[in-house]
Amino acid sequence: MRRQGGNDMTTKTLKVSATGSAILPALFAVILGLGIVTLAGHVQASALHDAAHDVRHATGFPCH
Amino acid sequence: MFSRILTSALFAGAAAGLIAALLQFLFVQPVLLHAELYETGELVHFGAEAVSAQPDLPGMFADPMRDALTVVFAMLTYTGYAVVMVALMSVAEGMGHAITARAGLLWGLAGFITFHFAPGLSLAPEVPGVSYTDITARQIWWTATVAAAGIAMWLIAFGGNLMAYGAAALLLIAPHLIGAPEPESFAGPVPTELGALFAARAFGVGMAAWVLLGGFAGHFWQTEGKRANAHA
Protein backbone atom coordinates (compact mmCIF):
# COMPACT_ATOMS: atom_id res chain seq x y z
CA MET A 1 0.00 0.00 0.00
CA ARG A 2 1.32 3.44 -0.97
CA ARG A 3 0.45 6.54 0.88
CA GLN A 4 1.29 10.23 0.67
CA GLY A 5 4.89 10.99 1.60
CA GLY A 6 4.16 12.78 4.86
CA ASN A 7 1.78 10.10 6.07
CA ASP A 8 4.24 7.38 5.20
CA MET A 9 6.85 8.96 7.44
CA THR A 10 4.56 9.13 10.44
CA THR A 11 3.33 5.59 10.01
CA LYS A 12 6.88 4.34 9.83
CA THR A 13 7.98 6.22 12.92
CA LEU A 14 4.95 5.01 14.83
CA LYS A 15 5.53 1.42 13.75
CA VAL A 16 9.18 1.43 14.75
CA SER A 17 8.50 2.83 18.20
CA ALA A 18 5.61 0.40 18.62
CA THR A 19 7.86 -2.56 17.77
CA GLY A 20 10.60 -1.45 20.10
CA SER A 21 8.31 -1.24 23.10
CA ALA A 22 6.18 -4.24 22.13
CA ILE A 23 8.43 -7.15 23.06
CA LEU A 24 8.30 -6.64 26.81
CA PRO A 25 4.50 -6.40 27.14
CA ALA A 26 4.15 -9.40 24.81
CA LEU A 27 6.59 -11.43 26.88
CA PHE A 28 4.76 -10.45 30.03
CA ALA A 29 1.43 -11.44 28.49
CA VAL A 30 2.78 -14.82 27.33
CA ILE A 31 3.92 -15.59 30.88
CA LEU A 32 0.55 -14.48 32.28
CA GLY A 33 -1.33 -16.58 29.72
CA LEU A 34 0.73 -19.68 30.40
CA GLY A 35 0.14 -19.11 34.10
CA ILE A 36 -3.62 -19.12 33.54
CA VAL A 37 -3.40 -22.28 31.41
CA THR A 38 -1.28 -24.00 34.09
CA LEU A 39 -3.72 -23.00 36.81
CA ALA A 40 -6.76 -24.19 34.89
CA GLY A 41 -5.15 -27.29 33.41
CA HIS A 42 -2.36 -28.63 35.58
CA VAL A 43 -2.49 -27.63 39.24
CA GLN A 44 -3.44 -30.73 41.24
CA ALA A 45 -4.87 -29.05 44.37
CA SER A 46 -8.02 -31.08 44.87
CA ALA A 47 -10.56 -28.23 44.89
CA LEU A 48 -9.11 -26.91 41.61
CA HIS A 49 -8.89 -30.40 40.15
CA ASP A 50 -12.52 -31.18 40.92
CA ALA A 51 -13.79 -27.87 39.59
CA ALA A 52 -11.81 -28.09 36.37
CA HIS A 53 -12.26 -31.86 35.98
CA ASP A 54 -14.59 -32.04 32.98
CA VAL A 55 -12.80 -29.25 31.09
CA ARG A 56 -9.43 -30.90 31.67
CA HIS A 57 -10.69 -34.17 30.22
CA ALA A 58 -12.34 -32.45 27.28
CA THR A 59 -9.31 -30.30 26.43
CA GLY A 60 -6.82 -33.17 26.64
CA PHE A 61 -4.90 -32.20 29.77
CA PRO A 62 -3.54 -35.14 31.78
CA CYS A 63 -6.09 -35.14 34.58
CA HIS A 64 -5.65 -37.82 37.27
CA MET B 1 0.14 -2.25 24.24
CA PHE B 2 -0.25 -4.49 27.27
CA SER B 3 -3.84 -3.41 27.84
CA ARG B 4 -4.63 -3.88 24.13
CA ILE B 5 -3.33 -7.46 24.36
CA LEU B 6 -5.29 -8.16 27.54
CA THR B 7 -8.54 -6.58 26.36
CA SER B 8 -8.62 -8.35 23.00
CA ALA B 9 -7.61 -11.64 24.61
CA LEU B 10 -10.32 -11.35 27.30
CA PHE B 11 -13.07 -10.74 24.74
CA ALA B 12 -11.86 -13.52 22.43
CA GLY B 13 -11.21 -16.00 25.24
CA ALA B 14 -14.54 -15.41 26.96
CA ALA B 15 -16.49 -15.80 23.71
CA ALA B 16 -14.61 -18.86 22.47
CA GLY B 17 -14.60 -20.43 25.95
CA LEU B 18 -18.36 -20.03 26.24
CA ILE B 19 -18.85 -21.68 22.85
CA ALA B 20 -16.36 -24.42 23.81
CA ALA B 21 -18.39 -25.12 26.95
CA LEU B 22 -21.66 -25.31 25.00
CA LEU B 23 -20.10 -27.66 22.42
CA GLN B 24 -18.70 -29.70 25.29
CA PHE B 25 -22.19 -30.08 26.82
CA LEU B 26 -23.58 -31.17 23.44
CA PHE B 27 -20.88 -33.57 22.31
CA VAL B 28 -18.34 -34.45 25.01
CA GLN B 29 -20.31 -34.45 28.28
CA PRO B 30 -22.71 -37.29 27.33
CA VAL B 31 -19.74 -39.56 26.52
CA LEU B 32 -17.97 -38.46 29.70
CA LEU B 33 -21.01 -39.19 31.89
CA HIS B 34 -21.52 -42.52 30.15
CA ALA B 35 -17.88 -43.47 30.77
CA GLU B 36 -18.21 -42.50 34.44
CA LEU B 37 -20.89 -45.16 34.87
CA TYR B 38 -18.22 -47.70 33.96
CA GLU B 39 -15.56 -45.92 36.02
CA THR B 40 -17.70 -46.18 39.16
CA GLY B 41 -18.72 -49.77 38.37
CA GLU B 42 -22.39 -48.97 37.86
CA LEU B 43 -22.11 -50.49 34.40
CA VAL B 44 -19.82 -53.41 33.67
CA HIS B 45 -18.18 -54.02 30.35
CA PHE B 46 -18.41 -57.73 29.36
CA GLY B 47 -20.49 -58.51 32.43
CA ALA B 48 -22.79 -61.51 32.76
CA GLU B 49 -25.55 -59.58 31.02
CA ALA B 50 -25.27 -57.55 27.86
CA VAL B 51 -25.27 -53.82 28.67
CA SER B 52 -27.19 -51.34 26.58
CA ALA B 53 -25.05 -48.84 24.73
CA GLN B 54 -27.72 -46.21 25.40
CA PRO B 55 -28.22 -46.16 29.16
CA ASP B 56 -30.17 -43.46 30.96
CA LEU B 57 -27.64 -40.72 31.66
CA PRO B 58 -28.12 -38.13 34.41
CA GLY B 59 -29.07 -35.77 31.58
CA MET B 60 -27.88 -32.35 30.66
CA PHE B 61 -27.54 -29.91 33.56
CA ALA B 62 -28.43 -32.57 36.14
CA ASP B 63 -25.68 -31.14 38.32
CA PRO B 64 -25.85 -27.35 37.83
CA MET B 65 -22.81 -26.60 40.00
CA ARG B 66 -20.64 -29.00 38.09
CA ASP B 67 -21.79 -27.56 34.76
CA ALA B 68 -21.36 -23.97 35.93
CA LEU B 69 -17.78 -24.77 36.91
CA THR B 70 -17.25 -26.30 33.49
CA VAL B 71 -18.36 -23.03 31.86
CA VAL B 72 -16.11 -20.98 34.16
CA PHE B 73 -13.06 -23.14 33.58
CA ALA B 74 -13.60 -23.41 29.83
CA MET B 75 -13.70 -19.60 29.66
CA LEU B 76 -10.63 -19.37 31.90
CA THR B 77 -8.67 -21.93 29.89
CA TYR B 78 -9.47 -20.33 26.54
CA THR B 79 -8.69 -16.89 27.94
CA GLY B 80 -5.27 -18.22 28.94
CA TYR B 81 -4.74 -19.55 25.42
CA ALA B 82 -5.94 -16.21 24.02
CA VAL B 83 -3.54 -14.12 26.10
CA VAL B 84 -0.61 -16.17 24.78
CA MET B 85 -1.87 -16.08 21.19
CA VAL B 86 -2.68 -12.35 21.09
CA ALA B 87 0.72 -11.53 22.61
CA LEU B 88 2.38 -13.50 19.80
CA MET B 89 0.06 -11.81 17.28
CA SER B 90 1.33 -8.44 18.49
CA VAL B 91 4.91 -9.58 17.92
CA ALA B 92 4.03 -10.86 14.43
CA GLU B 93 2.35 -7.56 13.63
CA GLY B 94 5.48 -5.75 14.74
CA MET B 95 7.36 -7.88 12.20
CA GLY B 96 5.01 -6.60 9.48
CA HIS B 97 2.43 -9.43 9.26
CA ALA B 98 -1.21 -8.42 9.01
CA ILE B 99 -3.40 -9.62 11.89
CA THR B 100 -7.02 -9.90 10.79
CA ALA B 101 -9.96 -12.07 11.77
CA ARG B 102 -9.29 -14.12 8.64
CA ALA B 103 -5.60 -14.63 9.42
CA GLY B 104 -6.74 -15.43 12.95
CA LEU B 105 -8.45 -18.61 11.72
CA LEU B 106 -5.01 -19.98 10.78
CA TRP B 107 -3.59 -18.81 14.10
CA GLY B 108 -6.39 -20.73 15.80
CA LEU B 109 -5.61 -23.87 13.84
CA ALA B 110 -1.95 -23.55 14.81
CA GLY B 111 -3.00 -23.11 18.44
CA PHE B 112 -5.17 -26.22 18.27
CA ILE B 113 -2.24 -28.22 16.88
CA THR B 114 0.07 -26.80 19.56
CA PHE B 115 -2.10 -27.26 22.65
CA HIS B 116 -4.42 -30.15 21.72
CA PHE B 117 -3.34 -32.19 18.76
CA ALA B 118 0.44 -32.41 19.27
CA PRO B 119 0.28 -33.69 22.87
CA GLY B 120 -2.93 -35.63 22.13
CA LEU B 121 -1.30 -37.63 19.36
CA SER B 122 0.49 -39.70 22.00
CA LEU B 123 -1.41 -38.77 25.17
CA ALA B 124 -4.91 -39.11 23.70
CA PRO B 125 -7.66 -37.11 25.45
CA GLU B 126 -8.48 -39.32 28.43
CA VAL B 127 -11.96 -40.65 28.92
CA PRO B 128 -12.67 -41.00 32.67
CA GLY B 129 -11.68 -44.45 33.88
CA VAL B 130 -8.70 -45.11 31.64
CA SER B 131 -5.58 -46.58 33.17
CA TYR B 132 -2.77 -44.08 33.46
CA THR B 133 0.68 -43.58 34.82
CA ASP B 134 2.20 -40.92 37.11
CA ILE B 135 0.51 -37.54 36.56
CA THR B 136 3.71 -35.48 36.99
CA ALA B 137 5.56 -37.42 34.29
CA ARG B 138 2.67 -36.94 31.88
CA GLN B 139 2.41 -33.23 32.68
CA ILE B 140 6.13 -32.77 32.01
CA TRP B 141 5.85 -34.62 28.68
CA TRP B 142 2.70 -32.62 27.82
CA THR B 143 4.41 -29.29 28.59
CA ALA B 144 7.56 -30.15 26.62
CA THR B 145 5.51 -31.33 23.64
CA VAL B 146 3.38 -28.18 23.66
CA ALA B 147 6.52 -26.01 23.83
CA ALA B 148 8.14 -27.90 20.93
CA ALA B 149 4.96 -27.75 18.82
CA GLY B 150 4.52 -24.03 19.54
CA ILE B 151 8.04 -23.25 18.33
CA ALA B 152 7.42 -25.51 15.31
CA MET B 153 4.24 -23.62 14.40
CA TRP B 154 6.09 -20.29 14.60
CA LEU B 155 8.92 -21.65 12.39
CA ILE B 156 6.44 -22.95 9.79
CA ALA B 157 4.53 -19.65 9.73
CA PHE B 158 7.44 -17.21 9.82
CA GLY B 159 10.66 -19.19 9.25
CA GLY B 160 10.54 -18.97 5.49
CA ASN B 161 13.43 -21.28 4.66
CA LEU B 162 14.18 -24.96 4.41
CA MET B 163 16.19 -25.06 7.64
CA ALA B 164 13.23 -23.68 9.58
CA TYR B 165 10.80 -26.19 8.07
CA GLY B 166 13.19 -29.05 8.80
CA ALA B 167 13.63 -27.94 12.40
CA ALA B 168 9.85 -27.63 12.74
CA ALA B 169 9.29 -31.18 11.45
CA LEU B 170 11.89 -32.46 13.90
CA LEU B 171 10.27 -30.59 16.80
CA LEU B 172 6.86 -32.02 15.90
CA ILE B 173 8.06 -35.61 15.55
CA ALA B 174 10.67 -35.90 18.33
CA PRO B 175 8.33 -35.99 21.39
CA HIS B 176 6.47 -38.95 19.90
CA LEU B 177 9.67 -40.84 19.07
CA ILE B 178 10.87 -40.25 22.62
CA GLY B 179 7.44 -41.44 23.71
CA ALA B 180 4.83 -40.32 26.21
CA PRO B 181 4.72 -41.91 29.68
CA GLU B 182 2.48 -44.97 29.44
CA PRO B 183 0.99 -47.24 32.11
CA GLU B 184 2.49 -50.69 32.77
CA SER B 185 -0.74 -52.40 31.84
CA PHE B 186 -4.16 -51.47 30.49
CA ALA B 187 -6.94 -52.16 32.91
CA GLY B 188 -9.46 -49.42 32.15
CA PRO B 189 -13.07 -50.50 32.79
CA VAL B 190 -14.45 -48.27 29.99
CA PRO B 191 -15.32 -49.82 26.59
CA THR B 192 -12.91 -48.89 23.79
CA GLU B 193 -15.85 -47.60 21.74
CA LEU B 194 -16.47 -44.89 24.34
CA GLY B 195 -12.76 -44.08 24.64
CA ALA B 196 -12.40 -43.63 20.87
CA LEU B 197 -15.57 -41.54 20.64
CA PHE B 198 -14.41 -39.39 23.53
CA ALA B 199 -11.02 -38.66 21.95
CA ALA B 200 -12.59 -37.86 18.57
CA ARG B 201 -15.18 -35.56 20.12
CA ALA B 202 -12.59 -33.82 22.32
CA PHE B 203 -10.44 -33.11 19.25
CA GLY B 204 -13.42 -31.94 17.19
CA VAL B 205 -14.74 -29.56 19.84
CA GLY B 206 -11.20 -28.34 20.55
CA MET B 207 -10.57 -27.57 16.89
CA ALA B 208 -13.85 -25.70 16.48
CA ALA B 209 -13.26 -23.65 19.64
CA TRP B 210 -9.65 -22.87 18.71
CA VAL B 211 -10.43 -21.75 15.15
CA LEU B 212 -13.15 -19.47 16.56
CA LEU B 213 -10.72 -18.24 19.22
CA GLY B 214 -8.21 -17.29 16.52
CA GLY B 215 -10.83 -15.51 14.43
CA PHE B 216 -12.17 -13.62 17.45
CA ALA B 217 -8.64 -12.71 18.58
CA GLY B 218 -7.76 -11.28 15.16
CA HIS B 219 -11.02 -9.36 15.09
CA PHE B 220 -10.73 -7.87 18.57
CA TRP B 221 -7.03 -7.11 18.08
CA GLN B 222 -8.06 -4.91 15.15
CA THR B 223 -11.02 -3.22 16.82
CA GLU B 224 -9.03 -2.55 20.01
CA GLY B 225 -6.23 -1.07 17.88
CA LYS B 226 -8.66 1.27 16.15
CA ARG B 227 -10.11 2.31 19.48
CA ALA B 228 -6.65 3.01 20.90
CA ASN B 229 -5.74 5.06 17.81
CA ALA B 230 -8.97 7.03 18.04
CA HIS B 231 -8.17 8.00 21.63
CA ALA B 232 -4.53 8.84 20.87
Side-chain angles (χ1 to χ4, degrees):
Chain A
M1 254 198 278
R2 284 214 147 225
R3 289 198 194 170
Q4 297 284 315
N7 265 346
D8 208 29
M9 287 280 277
T10 19
T11 347
K12 241 178 212 162
T13 336
L14 273 178
K15 226 178 209 167
V16 168
S17 66
T19 316
S21 62
I23 290 297
L24 221 64
L27 189 71
F28 219 69
V30 166
I31 293 168
L32 177 71
L34 291 177
I36 296 172
V37 171
T38 306
L39 188 78
H42 286 311
V43 175
Q44 285 296 307
S46 72
L48 252 180
H49 170 273
D50 292 350
H53 176 270
D54 295 357
V55 173
R56 287 183 183 187
H57 275 282
T59 38
F61 287 94
C63 192
H64 296 279
Chain B
M1 179 58 80
F2 191 60
S3 67
R4 183 180 169 194
I5 294 175
L6 282 194
T7 317
S8 348
L10 267 178
F11 285 151
L18 189 62
I19 294 171
L22 295 176
L23 289 173
Q24 179 175 338
F25 289 139
L26 268 182
F27 294 113
V28 182
Q29 207 71 6
V31 188
L32 192 151
L33 294 174
H34 192 169
E36 279 186 345
L37 295 180
Y38 286 94
E39 186 184 25
T40 55
E42 207 165 307
L43 291 181
V44 182
H45 192 206
F46 294 134
E49 283 175 51
V51 178
S52 163
Q54 278 84 38
D56 289 328
L57 296 177
M60 223 176 265
F61 313 122
D63 186 345
M65 191 44 148
R66 178 177 179 171
D67 294 332
L69 283 169
T70 292
V71 173
V72 169
F73 273 87
M75 290 171 82
L76 190 66
T77 306
Y78 278 88
T79 301
Y81 295 150
V83 173
V84 176
M85 182 164 61
V86 175
L88 295 176
M89 281 175 162
S90 78
V91 175
E93 194 180 67
M95 288 160 54
H97 301 284
I99 302 298
T100 60
R102 202 167 165 195
L105 301 179
L106 274 180
W107 279 82
L109 200 60
F112 166 73
I113 293 170
T114 301
F115 279 92
H116 285 201
F117 198 70
L121 199 63
S122 283
L123 275 184
E126 294 165 10
V127 75
V130 290
S131 47
Y132 43 77
T133 178
D134 178 43
I135 177 78
T136 312
R138 282 181 298 143
Q139 285 178 337
I140 291 170
W141 188 90
W142 186 97
T143 307
T145 305
V146 167
I151 295 168
M153 289 298 112
W154 185 272
L155 288 175
I156 289 170
F158 305 118
N161 61 55
L162 220 55
M163 273 273 283
Y165 299 142
L170 212 64
L171 282 169
L172 285 173
I173 295 169
H176 304 284
L177 292 185
I178 293 166
E182 280 179 16
E184 298 266 316
S185 65
F186 295 132
V190 179
T192 54
E193 290 87 342
L194 280 183
L197 183 63
F198 185 86
R201 291 265 171 102
F203 276 147
V205 167
M207 191 196 287
W210 260 107
V211 169
L212 288 171
L213 180 71
F216 292 155
H219 170 78
F220 287 119
W221 176 251
Q222 276 205 335
T223 54
E224 286 307 302
K226 277 183 198 138
R227 197 207 304 259
N229 280 344
H231 280 291

